[in-house]
Amino acid sequence: MGFDPHRPGADSAARFWFLSSVAWMLIGPALGLLISLQFLWPDWWASTLDPLGLTFGELRAVHTNAVIFAVFGTGAIASMFYAVPRLVDRNLYDEGFGVLLGWTWNGTLVLNAVLLTYSEDLLEPAWVAAVLGRQPFEYAEAPLLVDGLVLFVVASVLYLLLRTLADRKEPKLYASIWFMLGGLLMTTLAYTIGNFVPTYVVDGTSAIIVHGWWLHNVVGLFITPTGLGITYYVIPKASRQPLYSHRLSIIGFWALVLVYPPQGIHHYLQAPIPTWLGNVAIVTSMFLLVPVFASVINFLATPRGAWDRLASSFPLRFAIVGTVFYLLTCIQGPLQSVNTFNWYIHFTGWVPAHAHLAVLGGFVFFLTAMIYLALPRITGRQLWSRSLAQWHFWLLTFGFLVFWLFFNSSGLSMAVGTNVAGATVDQMNSAVVPLRAFRSLGGAAMVLAFFLFGYNVYKTAVRDRGEPFREGMEVVPQRGEGR
Amino acid sequence: MTSGDPEEGRASERMGHPRSCGNGSEGEGASGGDSERMPGTRFAPLFTALAAALLVAAEPAAAASEYARHWTELSDAPASFWVAAALVTLVYLGWVYYIDTSENVKRLKKTKKRYLLLGGLMLLIVLITFAMYAYAGVGTGFGENVTARTWDWEPNQTIRDPGGSDLSGEPFKGYRIAISQGCLQGGCHTLFVRPQDTAPGHASLHYPEVSQATDFAEMPMPLWGTQRNGPDLAFAGRVKPSMQFQKDHLVDPRSTAPDSIMPSYAHLTEEQLNDLSAFIVTLGRPPAELRNATPGNATPTPTGLSPEAQRGRELASDLGCTGCHTTDGSPSTGSTWQGLYGSTVTLADGSTAEVDEEYLRTAIVDPDAQVRQGFPSGVMPRDYGDRLTDDEVDAVVEYLKALE
């Protein structure tokens, strides 16, 4: 009894999680746009949102948590529910439980956003602060209650997928499974350690060092492997070519497992940490180029002979553009972890610009490719409007380029001003306002793109207005054919 | 897979799956597909184990909620930690065993063992790297090297405003509020000074010293921050040692710092603002200094100040001058003000200068023009000329004259 896409309730878990991810895409990036306005019009904030208790420091955490765990995390798990049963030729172990977990996950994320926003009222008595209060570590802000729920859902998803895997018909495991399930397996462990140990076990500088380990592993062990797993599925499917090299993909996976986990402390290089640990982090950061090139070569070599589909297939287009951004971010990353460069850009906007290049430019593009690939196959309906998808692609790509270039240059200007030219941070904040205005402009274009995408998905999947799907119908139409 | 989407099979093959299509259904119906049961019932053992693990973990969490000191060494770990760790390991092993005995896996015996081992290997690598961090981290920044300036405040300790107003607040509560607002880990302020921040001619003029690991030894959850869109606060208590100033700044940031892009915290309650201001003025200052402080101690009032000198005294307090300059003759980062006026000082180039009104005015507006021997240049902020009117500079000079 292999995988059957036509059985009752097939793909209901994947469908629910995909739609949740698209819904979060309307919220997470829009929050980012909103908080970018703090840099342009602080007085407007002071008169409108600050009195409501919605301050930058809180909403920034809501934004980072929303894009990492809600937009990308939800989409990555959806992709696993979609791809793993197909790759192992076995129905998902329990679709109903998958949907139940989806509701739990969404509820947890909403709870997290609310608790982070109203955290100043949750400080008394002490046990309330311990269970519901915001924790002080970046990417580990979620309160204890949310940590527990997140771990429960992630562990249960992993359990569902591994039970599916245990009954599989296809003995060999394709690269996507290594990346997705390996990433999720390591995430359960890394999340547990990263969210409990610095907060509740050690204190002082020890806690910072231990937190440094998690700070980068949320990217290294969760976002990167699951995102690459998605792309390993999308590119061969969308280009209709076999993967260039399986061996290379497995080399890439194990190289990633070996070099990613020790890197985190490169965020604290000029701080009072043991020097040898910083050196280990820098050296392994440089070695990151090995798994990156293994995956990128595989991605770019796979569509060989089918590059014309880049013009005709939305999934392939998003995946390839994402690959280019991913390559860029992974060349940037190792270089900026070297001391001579790091001291210069440390503490500036360069670093969050780099993070956006990875998460938005790389992995959200990968995820979008997966959604364009999977949605018609799940709903049995083709895309409601292919013109909207065109707008989505071009607005997102060019909006991102504008956003990223100006984000990066505002960071570099800040670095010149504060590190070399003797200006204070406040003076530089005034000086880079024009750059930050263009950053917000690019961000607005992307938020518009996400809303167009959301509307298209809503029409396709919920309203069932699209025409019946046949294989190949997610391709881009010829001129004049679009709706 | 005889029915369904033919493309599915073809594309999978192209991904490299030499898959035997269509004839694998005999004798396997019992193991997988009983999906008519209530969703989740078969996960009962998993739920039970998780609930038990959470219960056990609740004890250290409850201990933490009382802000008890955490560990500095592994031997400080409570018994419940080891119980929880053992339980998690047992759940993992039991689950591996469960998968191991599944009928279909037996069919795939050859490959399956290797995969389980490889999964274990991934976890092992992750654990080893963490152990490396724990080895480097646990114990760093404690012990004999803890200095007098180490931030060391506990719940229910109250301070009065060292700037002289009648405000008072609890620094530890303020620390909790700073966490909740994301002041230091929300992309704006940092709480550690890097070596390059103190280099002469460097931008970060407010930072007299480099942060050390021991500065955070008594913080249950230290806040270093990862980005600066506002100034570093590691020595904020020395730069602006006035709760009144900090409170005004929190309520309306641009009234005290025109270029600031900081949010307004007017929505916090009066008490929360006092606590937060108290937290800020404790940063970078030896706690003992503040615990014993009486209001106004930071700037003892010389008797018989003229109104203008009095105004200069308030300005000196608000601007945080007294974070570096003492008024009682004791040495500090900057030269003491006691008896400064009228004395003759030696400059860095070896020449001497008499401290008169003109000298003081230049020293405030352009501090690097005449650096005293024995004091580093580039430490004092250069922007007082922009921040003060000429009248205000005169008032401060008048105050310095009164400290003769």
Side-chain angles (χ1 to χ4, degrees):
Chain A
M1 211 169 60
F3 174 74
D4 176 14
H6 300 292
R7 73 192 188 285
D11 284 328
S12 57
R15 179 189 151 99
F16 182 87
W17 283 76
F18 271 128
L19 292 183
S20 306
S21 171
V22 174
W24 284 109
M25 275 184 193
L26 308 183
I27 300 168
L31 270 176
L33 175 63
L34 182 66
I35 60 173
S36 79
L37 301 180
Q38 171 80 42
F39 294 95
L40 306 177
W41 298 296
D43 282 326
W44 171 76
W45 269 74
S47 61
T48 52
L49 293 169
D50 288 346
L52 304 174
L54 299 170
T55 48
F56 177 87
E58 293 173 329
L59 291 187
R60 182 184 186 268
V62 176
H63 165 68
T64 56
N65 278 269
V67 291
I68 292 175
F69 296 106
V71 176
F72 182 77
T74 313
I77 289 173
S79 309
M80 293 177 206
F81 282 154
Y82 177 80
V84 170
R86 283 168 169 76
L87 288 171
V88 301
D89 193 16
R90 193 79 197 176
N91 293 331
L92 187 66
Y93 184 59
D94 191 334
E95 294 275 355
F97 188 51
V99 175
L100 200 69
L101 286 175
W103 283 106
T104 319
W105 177 252
N106 284 330
T108 306
L109 294 170
V110 171
L111 178 72
N112 187 30
V114 171
L115 289 179
L116 288 181
T117 311
Y118 292 102
S119 48
E120 72 267 25
D121 301 321
L122 299 168
L123 299 174
E124 297 289 337
W127 71 267
V128 169
V131 178
L132 302 178
R134 173 178 175 165
Q135 298 174 1
F137 299 108
E138 204 170 7
Y139 303 152
E141 291 97 345
L144 186 63
L145 178 64
V146 174
D147 286 339
L149 288 167
V150 165
L151 266 180
F152 164 71
V153 174
V154 171
S156 304
V157 166
L158 184 64
Y159 183 81
L160 262 182
L161 292 170
L162 284 176
R163 285 297 278 132
T164 310
L165 211 62
D167 294 338
R168 70 184 181 276
K169 300 260 299 171
E170 169 59 56
K172 287 202 168 170
L173 300 184
Y174 177 63
S176 287
I177 298 185
W178 282 101
F179 277 95
M180 287 171 165
L181 296 190
L184 210 57
L185 179 68
M186 291 185 286
T187 301
T188 48
L189 186 64
Y191 191 96
T192 316
I193 294 174
N195 281 271
F196 293 94
V197 175
T199 318
Y200 294 108
V201 179
V202 292
D203 54 9
T205 298
S206 309
I208 287 286
I209 293 173
V210 173
H211 166 244
W213 183 80
W214 162 250
L215 183 63
H216 209 76
N217 278 347
V218 68
V219 192
L221 296 183
F222 178 54
I223 297 179
T224 299
T226 52
L228 293 180
I230 290 172
T231 321
Y232 270 110
Y233 185 84
V234 170
I235 289 188
K237 276 294 232 185
S239 65
R240 299 183 180 168
Q241 292 291 329
L243 187 68
Y244 172 67
S245 165
H246 287 269
R247 178 160 305 197
L248 199 57
S249 69
I250 297 303
I251 290 174
F253 175 75
W254 284 101
L256 184 147
V257 174
L258 278 173
V259 303
Y260 234 128
Q263 288 179 16
I265 206 74
H266 65 209
H267 287 259
Y268 291 122
L269 280 184
Q270 295 90 24
I273 53 156
T275 315
W276 67 268
L277 191 64
N279 291 342
V280 169
I282 294 172
V283 170
T284 49
S285 301
M286 293 306 292
F287 270 101
L288 181 61
L289 289 171
V290 175
V292 167
F293 275 96
S295 287
V296 168
I297 287 171
N298 235 345
F299 293 164
L300 295 184
T302 295
R304 62 197 177 284
W307 280 108
D308 56 313
R309 283 188 61 75
L310 197 58
S312 64
S313 160
F314 284 117
L316 189 62
R317 223 195 249 185
F318 273 96
I320 293 296
V321 173
T323 304
V324 173
F325 284 142
Y326 174 69
L327 178 64
L328 200 55
T329 198
C330 288
I331 292 174
Q332 208 185 23
L335 295 182
Q336 76 192 38
S337 73
V338 179
N339 256 322
T340 41
F341 188 48
N342 187 274
W343 80 267
Y344 185 64
I345 50 98
H346 193 214
F347 286 154
T348 71
W350 171 288
V351 180
H354 167 72
H356 281 85
L357 184 59
V359 175
L360 177 47
F363 294 108
V364 169
F365 269 69
F366 291 160
L367 172 62
T368 312
M370 185 62 165
I371 296 176
Y372 272 121
L373 184 83
L375 205 66
R377 290 172 168 81
I378 290 176
T379 59
R381 301 273 154 181
Q382 64 167 303
L383 277 182
W384 178 70
S385 164
R386 284 166 286 182
S387 322
L388 269 189
Q390 289 277 26
W391 277 100
H392 174 209
F393 175 78
W394 291 108
L395 269 178
L396 195 64
T397 306
F398 277 98
F400 179 77
L401 281 173
V402 169
F403 162 87
W404 180 74
L405 286 172
F406 283 98
F407 204 158
N408 230 0
S409 45
S410 78
L412 276 179
S413 310
M414 186 68 100
V416 176
T418 56
N419 287 330
V420 181
T424 65
V425 175
D426 277 353
Q427 287 167 343
M428 287 314 295
N429 276 335
S430 312
V432 299
V433 159
L435 300 176
R436 283 175 168 164
F438 278 101
R439 174 179 76 167
S440 296
L441 202 66
M446 288 192 290
V447 169
L448 178 62
F450 281 118
F451 272 88
L452 296 181
F453 179 53
Y455 186 66
N456 207 0
V457 167
Y458 170 75
K459 283 291 199 185
T460 305
V462 182
R463 296 293 303 273
D464 272 346
R465 294 268 307 276
E467 298 181 9
F469 171 74
R470 298 186 310 277
E471 186 66 33
M473 288 191 74
E474 79 275 22
V475 297
V476 185
Q478 296 300 309
R479 189 189 302 269
E481 258 181 63
R483 189 188 280 252
Chain B
M1 252 196 56
T2 45
S3 70
D5 187 353
E7 181 65 25
E8 201 65 56
R10 259 209 325 279
S12 282
E13 267 174 48
R14 282 190 176 136
M15 279 175 165
H17 281 242
R19 165 157 102 189
S20 58
C21 285
N23 50 11
S25 56
E26 61 271 9
E28 289 158 19
S31 62
D34 48 346
S35 55
E36 68 278 3
R37 269 197 271 167
M38 274 276 289
T41 46
R42 65 183 93 172
F43 299 96
L46 187 71
F47 290 148
T48 319
L50 270 169
L54 279 178
L55 272 179
V56 175
E59 199 246 282
S65 75
E66 302 302 320
Y67 306 123
R69 279 297 305 273
H70 299 141
W71 317 345
T72 51
E73 296 297 337
L74 201 60
S75 54
D76 298 344
S80 56
F81 169 80
W82 297 112
V83 176
L87 204 64
V88 169
T89 316
L90 275 178
V91 169
Y92 177 70
L93 289 178
W95 168 59
V96 166
Y97 176 77
Y98 181 53
I99 298 230
D100 201 37
T101 50
S102 144
E103 283 303 310
N104 270 17
V105 169
K106 277 184 184 156
R107 192 169 52 80
L108 302 167
K109 204 73 182 176
K110 268 188 182 164
T111 52
K112 166 236 34 163
K113 283 257 162 153
R114 217 172 54 211
Y115 288 145
L116 281 178
L117 274 180
L118 290 175
L121 182 61
M122 286 175 214
L123 294 181
L124 193 66
I125 292 172
V126 172
L127 270 181
I128 287 173
T129 62
F130 176 72
M132 192 164 78
Y133 273 63
Y135 171 75
V138 176
T140 297
F142 300 102
E144 298 139 23
N145 301 327
V146 170
T147 58
R149 78 168 187 222
T150 297
W151 191 89
D152 182 11
W153 295 91
E154 278 160 27
N156 303 320
Q157 290 179 342
T158 307
I159 62 162
R160 283 185 284 178
D161 185 0
S165 78
D166 52 3
L167 295 175
S168 68
E170 283 185 37
F172 195 91
K173 266 193 190 169
Y175 157 77
R176 297 289 310 185
I177 294 166
I179 291 176
S180 79
Q181 297 302 307
C183 308
L184 292 145
Q185 71 287 19
C188 293
H189 298 290
T190 54
L191 204 55
F192 73 90
V193 177
R194 307 167 297 171
Q196 66 261 37
D197 292 331
T198 60
H202 196 271
S204 315
L205 300 166
H206 293 294
Y207 317 134
E209 289 162 44
V210 177
S211 293
Q212 296 166 12
T214 49
D215 290 352
F216 313 93
E218 302 295 329
M219 272 194 184
M221 300 179 264
L223 319 159
W224 281 9
T226 47
Q227 199 195 347
R228 282 183 192 156
N229 281 313
D232 183 272
L233 299 181
F235 295 96
R238 278 199 232 167
V239 177
K240 300 271 168 68
S242 159
M243 278 173 64
Q244 185 64 56
F245 172 89
Q246 298 298 352
K247 194 174 168 183
D248 294 345
H249 182 62
L250 286 167
V251 170
D252 186 0
R254 279 162 289 287
S255 70
T256 51
D259 285 337
S260 170
I261 55 168
M262 188 166 111
S264 156
Y265 287 92
H267 64 280
L268 296 181
T269 65
E270 201 70 11
E271 199 196 335
Q272 285 173 326
L273 283 170
N274 290 345
D275 292 339
L276 197 48
S277 310
F279 170 64
I280 298 170
V281 300
T282 59
L283 293 171
R285 278 183 76 126
E289 221 176 72
L290 285 169
R291 284 204 190 93
N292 306 326
T294 52
N297 197 21
T299 48
T301 318
T303 48
L305 280 183
S306 68
E308 194 179 15
Q310 181 61 34
R311 185 157 163 255
R313 175 175 167 258
E314 284 160 15
L315 279 168
S317 169
D318 284 352
L319 291 168
C321 308
T322 46
C324 293
H325 300 280
T326 64
T327 55
D328 56 4
S330 58
S332 183
T333 309
S335 47
T336 181
W337 287 345
Q338 192 187 47
L340 180 62
Y341 183 73
S343 67
T344 305
V345 294
T346 313
L347 299 182
D349 58 8
S351 62
T352 56
E354 190 181 342
V355 180
D356 52 12
E357 285 189 21
E358 195 45 51
Y359 174 93
L360 288 175
R361 209 168 276 124
T362 314
I364 295 169
V365 176
D366 187 6
D368 291 337
Q370 40 187 30
V371 179
R372 273 184 73 175
Q373 203 165 48
F375 291 90
S377 73
V379 172
M380 183 165 149
R382 283 180 233 159
D383 57 349
Y384 289 129
D386 301 331
R387 287 157 68 185
L388 296 172
T389 64
D390 287 348
D391 283 352
E392 286 172 333
V393 174
D394 287 342
V396 175
V397 170
E398 204 59 33
Y399 169 55
L400 296 182
K401 281 165 72 180
L403 283 168
E404 202 172 344

